Amino acid sequence: MITTDILIIGAGPTGLFTVFEAGLLKLRCHLIDALPQPGGQCSEIYPKKPIYDIPAYPEILAGDLTERLMEQIKQFEPGFTLGERADTVEKQEDGTFIVTTNKGTKHHAKVVAIAGGLGSFEPRKPPIPNIKDFEDKGVEYIIRDPEFYRDKKVVISGGGDSALDWSIFLTDVASSVTLIHRRNEFRGALDSVDKVQELKDAGKITLITPAEVKGIIGADKVEGVSVVKKGEEPFTIETDHFIPLFGLSPKLGPIANWGLEIEKNAIKVNNALDYQTNISGIYAIGDVNTYPGKLKLILCGFHEATLMCQSAYKRIFPDKKYVMKYTTVGGIDGFDGTRKEAPKAVVKKIE
């Protein structure tokens, strides 16, 4: 059983920043995310796309934002349960919660903060008739461990950042990499497109466009894929792995069955006070919530996380009074023993 003060469901920017705000209040956090790494959409879908509305950053790449947030919360030592989806919640007699994941990992928390962005992400699957027969038998929708593909033949399908980035990365891991896209044009970072062109010219990536994978060949595992290139007869490519990277589809998932008040696939909250749901002790912050005037912006999620943590503190310590101090005045004490503080003024006489 993993125990914590605040259990955060969702390790995107809002969930990560919650760790910082909670840490200022001496509250410990643990995060659950169905994705294999922190960052949510910023890491999984568009790590190399610029964001322009983060305060103090005229422009910052989504992946870099995740890295900065991880650095900011490092001293508060958050725990992570990654690659698992929050499945069930049970409220205990003392008002605490036990949240169990789809893999059976149990978490005991005094407060639950749902920061799941647009929900749990499920991969968008191509319309290939027999694809389900080969899932976990050579068909993977998310790359969790690149070493899994060491010295293997890999076919990747897709035209976005994930398809481009993993094609580039796996050239140094797999024995061969083939990238297939239904168009000649790619919707990804320009430097990634240029790098794929460079690797194609060097013979390190086989690029097939415009084309689509229409079938999977094999007995007990993937042995090849059937490819249809525009204007040509279908042909087969031998491969050990087929990885369709067509993005992720957001779904509220099992959270929709927790008894929360839902409106248009979002969780209704009390925005006049603390972003608490209709279940006392469960909050929803970031893109996953809804209220009058809601804006689905990262900076709004940061604001909601800040107020939510203040409310969580009062819930956990009803007899204590918290006096807010600016970090420039009070400094920051990490759970790891580190301290950040502004330099103290030096008193010196002028002769």
Side-chain angles (χ1 to χ4, degrees):
M1 181 83 72
I2 295 169
T3 59
T4 188
D5 293 318
I6 301 178
L7 180 65
I8 303 167
I9 299 172
T14 296
L16 294 176
F17 187 68
T18 302
V19 176
F20 177 78
E21 288 298 321
L24 296 179
L25 300 169
K26 309 299 183 190
L27 299 177
R28 290 190 175 272
C29 294
H30 190 94
L31 301 94
I32 299 174
D33 201 293
L35 296 176
Q37 73 284 314
Q41 295 182 67
C42 288
S43 294
E44 187 68 22
I45 301 178
Y46 49 87
K48 291 191 175 182
K49 287 194 175 179
I51 302 174
Y52 300 105
D53 60 356
I54 303 299
Y57 288 101
E59 176 181 336
I60 184 168
L61 297 181
D64 291 344
L65 176 63
T66 298
E67 290 181 10
R68 302 283 173 89
L69 287 166
M70 289 293 289
E71 180 63 28
Q72 186 179 29
I73 66 176
K74 185 178 179 181
Q75 66 183 141
F76 294 126
E77 300 181 318
F80 290 91
T81 299
L82 299 174
E84 299 185 31
R85 184 188 64 229
D87 224 22
T88 62
V89 63
E90 300 171 70
K91 192 167 187 177
Q92 307 301 294
E93 290 184 5
D94 62 357
T96 62
F97 301 89
I98 292 179
V99 175
T100 306
T101 70
N102 60 316
K103 293 187 179 179
T105 308
K106 291 184 179 294
H107 308 75
H108 187 204
K110 298 165 185 172
V111 164
V112 173
I114 302 171
L118 297 173
S120 63
F121 291 98
E122 295 182 9
R124 292 192 175 98
K125 303 178 182 181
I128 299 173
N130 62 340
I131 194 166
K132 285 187 177 181
D133 298 336
F134 293 94
E135 290 175 355
D136 298 323
K137 298 177 182 178
V139 170
E140 294 88 34
Y141 302 106
I142 295 175
I143 296 176
R144 289 184 166 85
D145 180 11
E147 281 300 314
F148 183 65
Y149 304 96
R150 173 69 62 182
D151 300 325
K152 300 296 179 77
K153 297 188 288 290
V154 174
V155 171
I156 294 175
S157 187
D161 283 313
S162 291
L164 291 166
D165 292 344
W166 280 119
S167 295
I168 294 167
F169 188 92
L170 290 179
T171 55
D172 293 327
V173 177
S175 61
S176 69
V177 175
T178 301
L179 176 59
I180 299 173
H181 183 39
R182 61 180 179 172
R183 299 188 182 93
N184 292 320
E185 300 81 17
F186 288 83
R187 296 177 66 87
L190 286 177
D191 61 329
S192 296
V193 176
D194 291 342
K195 183 64 176 177
V196 168
Q197 179 70 61
E198 178 185 319
L199 290 169
K200 172 184 176 290
D201 294 342
K204 294 184 177 181
I205 287 179
T206 300
L207 183 64
I208 305 175
T209 61
E212 294 182 73
V213 174
K214 291 293 189 179
I216 301 172
I217 300 162
D220 298 327
K221 61 183 182 61
V222 173
E223 296 173 10
V225 292
S226 175
V227 180
V228 175
K229 188 173 182 181
K230 192 173 181 180
E232 298 182 14
E233 290 295 315
F235 58 94
T236 298
I237 299 175
E238 288 187 8
T239 188
D240 300 305
H241 295 275
F242 172 51
I243 311 170
L245 298 175
F246 295 148
L248 300 169
S249 177
K251 296 182 183 296
L252 205 51
I255 291 173
N257 303 317
W258 285 10
L260 300 166
E261 193 173 353
I262 308 294
E263 182 180 283
K264 294 181 180 178
N265 208 41
I267 302 169
K268 291 185 71 172
V269 295
N270 173 12
N271 68 304
L273 185 61
D274 55 10
Y275 305 98
Q276 199 158 186
T277 69
N278 59 304
I279 299 178
S280 178
I282 298 182
Y283 300 78
I285 52 177
D287 288 356
V288 76
N289 75 15
T290 186
Y291 53 82
K294 169 69 179 181
L295 293 176
K296 292 183 183 292
L297 297 171
I298 292 174
L299 61 92
C300 293
F302 290 166
H303 164 76
E304 293 165 11
T306 304
L307 298 187
M308 183 279 294
C309 286
Q310 296 288 325
S311 176
Y313 181 88
K314 293 174 185 175
R315 178 181 177 83
I316 295 170
F317 301 111
D319 299 326
K320 287 187 179 181
K321 185 177 180 180
Y322 173 73
V323 179
M324 190 192 82
K325 292 182 180 179
Y326 298 113
T327 54
T328 51
V329 176
I332 302 174
D333 292 304
F335 298 148
D336 58 358
T338 61
R339 177 171 174 78
K340 296 178 182 177
E341 61 180 332
K344 289 183 170 56
V346 177
V347 178
K348 186 178 181 182
K349 184 178 180 181
I350 298 178
E351 300 292 343

